[in-house]
Amino acid sequence: MFSYLRERFASRLRERSRRRARLVSKDGRCNIEFGNVEQSRFVFLIDIWTTILDLRWRYKMTIFISAFLGSWFLFGLLWYVVAYIHKDLPEFNPSFNHTPCVENINGLTSAFLFSLETQVTIGYGFRCVTEQCATAIFLLIFQSILGVIINSFMCGAILAKISRSKNRAKTITFSKNAVISKRGGKLCLLIRVANLRKSLLIGSHIYGKLLRTTITPEGETIILDQVNIEFVVDAGNENLFFISPLTIYHIIDKNSPFFHMAAETLLQQDFELVVFLDGTVEATSATCQVRTSYIPEEVLWGYRFAPIVSKTKEGKYRVDFQNFSKTVAVETPHCAFCLYNEKEAKAKEKKGYDNPGFVLSEVNETSDTKM
């Protein structure tokens, strides 16, 4: 038992040591940080709307609550100052015929309650502004306008946060692994993608980027060098009818960066394949992008995806997501170069070729028959 646990622990350590750093996680988040940024962080306040939308919910709600409580308390202090200057408070013992600026403000607590009632337009009718003070009337107008601005900004920010299109992207899922096998007589890299909602993505477009470290002829090392990877579907990669899971594939030809890779050397490669799906949400007409990535350990050579769509007796099409990422081993050439050489060899077998080393020699025939 102890030896088994020791082997498991050692295998976990080896797996973690082999784990590669990836730029894009499986759920689409980017693993990157910015250091030594010369610009001040106050530049983010210039685009305050995007800054608020990018904040996490806990920070957004903290700002939301602080903005309202802070404005209520600030104007409560101002109403208290107005009452204090006009000597409306009980400690000044106002006369019976004294007309206060605001009725029934007896202290800081009542001033805060009047500020709250004014900004949220509750209007209990117990406290109200009189025509005695122009300062109070101006303060009432200013607080009402500012309250409307705060309400509009905060409610709009929360609504925009809830309806952001990246939440729709969470219902688009990619297969856990990519596979390499023959499709249509060609060696292809295949990935499966599914839409978990019945509503469509309009104008969907799928493409990929291969990230790797390259060295230029001048000796410059480029980290995260990007190479375009073209993905196609049998119906085309533009305006997909994305109602059922689709299998997208990249043809590994002589122009593909996977052409010089083989089944034996795939795990030794250092690359990250990032796949993007762009589309427009049918319900909101907002554009969204879904992305995921695959590292060499997640690319299976010599496999294909198991069938996922079937037809029931009732005539309905059923999608079994239990087989969504399931793969089946198939016979596959161990490299693209071998597949193309095999095709060329078969093509030559169907043709005749002259042998330049063959020399025809003439033979003189003699007859042994005597007449």
Side-chain angles (χ1 to χ4, degrees), residues 75 78-79 82 101-102 114 118-119 128-147:
F75 281 100
L78 295 178
W79 287 115
V82 169
C101 292
V102 181
F114 178 72
T118 300
Q119 189 162 329
C128 61
V129 177
T130 64
E131 67 277 7
Q132 185 68 25
C133 300
T135 305
I137 297 174
F138 173 79
L139 186 59
L140 176 66
I141 296 174
F142 182 73
Q143 183 177 4
S144 300
I145 295 175
L146 185 61

Side-chain angles (χ1 to χ4, degrees), residues 147-182:
V148 170
I149 295 175
I150 295 176
N151 287 340
S152 301
F153 186 86
M154 291 300 173
C155 293
I158 291 179
L159 181 61
K161 181 75 171 180
I162 294 175
S163 61
R164 293 189 77 176
S165 57
K166 78 175 185 177
N167 295 327
R168 173 65 174 91
K170 294 181 179 179
T171 55
I172 306 296
T173 181
F174 288 89
S175 57
K176 181 180 179 181
N177 297 100
V179 298
I180 295 179
S181 60
K182 292 175 64 176

Side-chain angles (χ1 to χ4, degrees), residues 356-368:
F358 179 77
V359 178
L360 179 62
S361 60
E362 295 182 358
V363 178
N364 296 325
E365 296 182 357
T366 58
S367 178
D368 297 335

Side-chain angles (χ1 to χ4, degrees), residues 5 10 50 186 206 246 250 260 346-347:
L5 294 177
T50 305
K186 301 177 181 179
I206 298 177
L246 298 175
H250 165 70
H260 299 286
K346 290 182 178 179

Side-chain angles (χ1 to χ4, degrees), residues 293-340:
S293 69
Y294 298 92
I295 55 178
E297 288 81 3
E298 296 170 344
V299 180
L300 306 180
W301 195 295
Y303 289 83
R304 64 171 175 83
F305 291 111
I308 191 174
V309 180
S310 61
K311 193 173 183 179
T312 63
K313 296 180 180 180
E314 294 79 12
K316 294 183 178 180
Y317 293 94
R318 183 175 184 270
V319 179
D320 186 7
F321 279 95
Q322 185 177 1
N323 293 337
F324 180 72
S325 295
K326 186 177 180 180
T327 57
V328 180
V330 293
E331 183 179 354
T332 307
H334 75 283
C335 66
F337 189 74
C338 298
L339 176 62
Y340 286 99

